[in-house]
Amino acid sequence: MTDLLVVGAGTMGRGIAQVAAAAGYTVHLVDATAELADAGRARIAAGLHDGVHRGKLSESDRAATLARIHPSVDLAAAAAGIAVAIEAVPERLELKREVFAHLERDAPASALLASNTSSLSITELQRGLRSPERVLGLHFFNPVPVSPLVEVVRGADTGEHAIARGLELVARLSKQAVVVKDSPGFATSRLGVLLGLEAMRMVEEGVASVADIDRAMELGYRHPMGPLRLSDLVGLDVRLDIARELYRKLGREQFRPPAILERLVAEGRLGRKTGAGFYDWPDAVPEPAAVLEARTPRRGGRALDAPPGGPSGPFSPEPA
Ligand SMILES: NC(=O)c1ccc[n+]([C@@H]2O[C@H](COP(=O)([O-])OP(=O)(O)OC[C@H]3O[C@@H](n4cnc5c(N)ncnc54)[C@H](O)[C@@H]3O)[C@@H](O)[C@H]2O)c1
């Protein structure tokens, strides 16, 4: 069986669907409405088209990859006959538990069931399921097609067989795996989010401009992308959800979401996906387009605290 189900056709679901289809899986891409599922596939199509245009992909690979992606709104029908399901719905425990309950009911008993959660407990997701041993975390990174890492997360009830199958899947998708114990934020989000939150507090305190804080980490620490630009790319709403979860779980002040993050999300400035966040993203294009280009991230435009140059004063948002 080579059918793979992706639940959620957002930023991550689209990327996972694309790499799975490129690796030869027949992919069922499910979202809450037919429009969203179709839009997800259309955005993948646009990205693949862009890839051909840039010479990164052959026309025949584009067509074959796209032909393997089937959008759907019917989770039960899409789950029948799959070998693997990966959910990439928003970071809310109850929503994900609901999705897993459906998957357990509708997917074959042999199917591997995975969550792309960044911060929720796999063990909590397993609770109440009849076959928790086949549930694990497969934490992909954004943008999925060019990010080499997948964290394979072992929940309290995850079976060895599921871990072995997860590792096999990761290899088939041409990614590299690290196996981590189920703990808040796993090995990556805990450190990555912390850096982003501290950078936001530095913006609030006027320590340096948005662009200079990013440049400091890019040039001083050789990070490929500064923490604020990365937060814009991930999505500020996603970052906020994760920060809240880590704060709740770890109870440490450094994970308390900064006011600036709460405010930007409340204003709908979610980063690149809405065209503005800590930076303006005037040339924001469907994410799949970005994933096929070189690893150098697409540069955003004006930073939140522009004009560029010296450190800004205390944070004062410009009108969006
Ligand atoms: N954005 C990132 O950089 C990133 C990185 C790694 C992991 N993650 C994790 O991946 C998951 C998804 O994040 P995202 O950024 O892709 O979110 P997103 O908001 O871009 O996409 C979520 C999608 O799920 C759909 N959805 C909501 N309810 C649904 C339902 N009941 N059935 C089917 N689809 C439903 C939404 O309509 C939306 O299209 C989250 O758990 C997040 O923490 C995100």
Side-chain angles (χ1 to χ4, degrees), residues 45-59 62 289 292:
L48 292 172
H49 181 77
D50 198 35
V52 173
H53 191 66
R54 291 164 188 269
K56 309 263 179 199
L57 190 70
S58 72
E59 171 53 30
R62 180 203 67 79
L292 285 161

Side-chain angles (χ1 to χ4, degrees), residues 95-255:
L95 175 61
K96 288 186 189 282
R97 287 174 68 102
E98 215 175 281
V99 169
F100 273 102
H102 280 287
L103 291 175
E104 187 168 64
R105 194 189 60 203
D106 298 327
S110 58
L112 189 68
L113 308 181
S115 172
N116 185 48
T117 180
S118 313
S119 65
L120 297 176
S121 162
I122 299 300
T123 305
E124 280 182 40
L125 289 174
Q126 289 172 320
R127 200 159 292 145
L129 295 178
R130 286 190 311 280
S131 50
E133 69 284 350
R134 58 178 170 141
V135 174
L136 80 169
L138 288 178
H139 182 206
F140 290 79
F141 291 79
N142 183 16
V144 177
V146 296
S147 301
L149 180 64
V150 180
E151 279 182 303
V152 176
V153 185
R154 186 197 301 273
D157 296 319
T158 305
E160 278 313 313
H161 186 55
I163 296 293
R165 286 180 65 194
L167 291 172
E168 242 171 64
L169 171 65
V170 170
R172 185 161 166 198
L173 301 182
S174 305
K175 305 287 183 199
Q176 292 177 52
V178 294
V179 180
V180 296
K181 185 179 89 169
D182 187 20
S183 64
F186 314 132
T188 50
S189 298
R190 184 162 163 180
L191 280 175
V193 168
L194 187 62
L195 196 67
L197 297 179
E198 200 56 31
M200 293 172 201
R201 277 188 269 273
M202 287 164 66
V203 174
E204 286 177 331
E205 291 169 19
V207 172
S209 68
V210 166
D212 279 354
I213 290 170
D214 275 348
R215 242 190 323 268
M217 297 312 291
E218 289 163 9
L219 301 179
Y221 280 72
R222 307 191 66 150
H223 288 196
M225 192 188 307
L228 297 164
R229 196 182 305 280
L230 180 61
S231 298
D232 266 10
L233 185 68
V234 167
L236 299 185
D237 53 337
V238 174
R239 282 258 141 141
L240 179 59
D241 283 344
I242 298 169
R244 284 179 176 151
E245 182 65 15
L246 291 177
Y247 181 56
R248 193 174 71 79
K249 287 273 175 55
L250 296 168
R252 296 184 194 150
E253 268 313 297
Q254 63 261 41
F255 290 105

